[in-house]
Amino acid sequence: QGSAAADTPEAEAVHLNLGAVWLGVYPYEDRIKGMREMLLLPDDIVPFSAVAIGYPETPPEPVDTFLPERIHTENW
């Protein structure tokens, strides 16, 4: 659920012509420690992930991931 929740801000960032990337934090102790320090989190809070949002240096090219061969209509 935690990583799925990151899809919404990423999608909105793209909609606003911003760049966004999901950053995994857990289970890497060095990343957890860094996030705790940066966000002043208590030890009982374990950061799972973060979403970095900003202005891309160059606009990304659209990616078409549609593959017609994955569509099957027989047996419907």
Side-chain angles (χ1 to χ4, degrees):
Q1 286 176 316
S3 59
D7 286 345
T8 303
E10 283 182 9
E12 184 61 19
V14 171
H15 175 73
L16 297 171
N17 294 318
L18 295 169
V21 62
W22 179 85
L23 305 167
V25 175
Y26 182 85
Y28 304 102
E29 286 299 324
D30 59 328
R31 296 179 187 180
I32 292 170
K33 183 177 184 276
M35 289 293 288
R36 278 189 179 137
E37 290 173 1
M38 182 174 60
L39 299 175
L40 304 175
L41 298 174
D43 289 340
D44 61 330
I45 301 295
V46 179
F48 178 78
S49 66
V51 178
I53 299 175
Y55 294 97
E57 189 172 310
T58 57
E61 293 294 322
V63 177
D64 184 3
T65 59
F66 176 72
L67 299 172
E69 62 270 16
R70 290 188 176 175
I71 306 298
H72 303 280
T73 57
E74 58 271 356
N75 298 324
W76 277 36

